[in-house]
């Protein structure tokens, strides 16, 4: 009976600790969503998001890569925790999405698949194309998830640790996925707003041309 009670008490403490972790994670994700929703046309949404994720959710490294309009390659658009030397390489980093491209980044984008990696040697053997990047950044563990807008992938987000020894788990997967959903929604909204601004500009231009045509017609009539 004593052992049973001790087991129940231990399980209760573990459950309470897990509830506290989940509550903190949920709060952080909500805060991130609120900050990303703030209008700031002068700041890059991806760089802002990477900094928020790194600081709020406590990851050593965060990287966001976005596909071009033709979905032919992924390029670096925002990051957190990289040294100036690492940025010399990361800032120009691109991943081809055409032909026989492979690798963990390509796989996550094309298959819209979230992956949790705690075994870097497994990663190198499973995706040899990712070996160079792994050797350069030297991650201990990371989560990679697609960023989607209207059900279609527009990029990927990678969050992980290079110094911190904490082993990532399913809670990290859900946190990173939740943030990626926020980023996709904000990105899509900003795109729609940019399109509306462009449409308004075109309408004004057409109205000016119409007024000019009317004026020219009136002058020709007077002549």
């Amino acid at each position: 009976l004593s052992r049973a009670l001790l087991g129940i008490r231990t399980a209760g403490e573990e459950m309470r600790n897990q509830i506290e972790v989940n509550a903190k994670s949920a709060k952080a994700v909500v805060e991130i969503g609120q900050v990303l929703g703030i209008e700031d046309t002068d700041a890059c949404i991806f760089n802002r998001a990477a900094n928020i994720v790194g600081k709020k959710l406590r990851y050593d490294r965060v990287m966001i890569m976005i596909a071009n309009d033709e979905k032919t390659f992924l390029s670096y658009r925002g990051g957190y925790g990289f040294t100036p030397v690492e940025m010399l390489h990361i800032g120009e980093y691109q991943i081809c999405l055409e032909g026989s491209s492979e690798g963990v980044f390509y796989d996550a984008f094309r298959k819209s698949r979230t992956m949790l990696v705690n075994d870097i040697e497994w990663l190198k053997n499973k995706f040899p194309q990712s070996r160079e990047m792994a050797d350069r950044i030297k991650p201990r563990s990371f989560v990679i998830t697609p960023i989607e807008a209207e059900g279609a992938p527009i990029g990927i987000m990678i969050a992980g640790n290079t110094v911190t020894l904490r082993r990532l788990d399913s809670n990290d997967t859900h946190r990173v996925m939740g943030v990626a959903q926020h980023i996709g929604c904000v990105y899509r909204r900003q795109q729609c707003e940019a399109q509306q601004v462009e449409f308004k500009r075109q309408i004004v231009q057409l109205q000016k041309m119409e007024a000019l045509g009317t004026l020219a017609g009136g002058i020709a009539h007077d002549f």
Side-chain angles (χ1 to χ4, degrees):
L1 181 59
S2 176
R3 287 196 300 269
L5 290 174
L6 179 61
I8 292 173
R9 185 182 302 112
T10 301
E13 291 177 355
E14 291 177 353
M15 185 177 296
R16 184 171 62 253
N17 292 336
Q18 186 62 50
I19 291 173
E20 291 178 357
V21 170
N22 292 343
K24 290 180 180 179
S25 298
K27 183 179 179 181
V29 171
V30 170
E31 290 178 358
I32 290 170
Q34 292 174 342
V35 173
L36 289 179
I38 297 174
E39 293 296 335
D40 188 358
T41 55
D42 295 330
C44 172
I45 175 180
F46 303 116
N47 216 34
R48 191 166 77 243
N51 277 274
I52 295 171
V53 172
K55 293 175 181 178
K56 288 283 186 181
L57 300 183
R58 298 182 180 179
Y59 294 110
D60 297 337
R61 297 283 191 276
V62 179
M63 183 165 68
I64 294 177
M65 303 190 71
I66 299 298
N68 61 336
D69 293 337
E70 294 76 21
K71 303 290 180 69
T72 56
F73 63 85
L74 290 168
S75 60
Y76 172 88
R77 295 291 296 277
Y80 167 82
F82 294 102
T83 66
V85 175
E86 290 172 336
M87 282 302 303
L88 293 176
H89 176 74
I90 298 297
E92 302 296 327
Y93 187 56
Q94 290 186 343
I95 298 173
C96 179
L97 297 174
E98 295 183 307
S100 58
S101 298
E102 294 181 1
V104 64
F105 293 171
Y106 174 89
D107 198 64
F109 180 84
R110 282 301 186 196
K111 297 181 181 179
S112 293
R113 190 169 83 174
T114 299
M115 295 179 61
L116 169 63
V117 178
N118 279 310
D119 187 346
I120 303 304
E121 290 304 317
W122 170 87
L123 172 72
K124 293 179 181 180
N125 294 328
K126 176 70 174 180
F127 301 100
Q129 293 80 2
S130 301
R131 182 180 295 273
E132 180 184 355
M133 177 59 71
D135 289 338
R136 187 177 296 273
I137 300 179
K138 296 180 173 58
R140 292 181 181 274
S141 58
F142 65 88
V143 175
I144 178 171
T145 190
I147 300 172
E148 297 182 341
E150 296 184 342
I154 62 169
I156 57 175
M157 181 168 70
I158 307 98
N161 295 322
T162 56
V163 178
T164 304
L165 299 177
R166 181 176 68 87
R167 187 178 179 86
L168 303 186
D169 55 25
S170 59
N171 289 321
D172 295 284
T173 300
H174 295 147
R175 283 195 291 262
V176 175
M177 290 175 65
V179 175
Q181 290 178 355
H182 280 302
I183 295 174
C185 292
V186 175
Y187 175 74
R188 182 55 183 163
R189 189 196 68 204
Q190 289 186 347
Q191 275 194 324
C192 291
E193 291 174 351
Q195 289 176 349
Q196 289 178 353
V197 171
E198 178 62 19
F199 289 154
K200 290 180 180 179
R201 187 194 67 80
Q202 292 178 2
I203 290 173
V204 171
Q205 187 66 21
L206 289 173
Q207 289 174 340
K208 289 180 179 179
M209 294 176 64
E210 182 181 6
L212 183 60
T214 302
L215 176 62
I219 294 174
H221 177 73
D222 291 342
F223 275 110

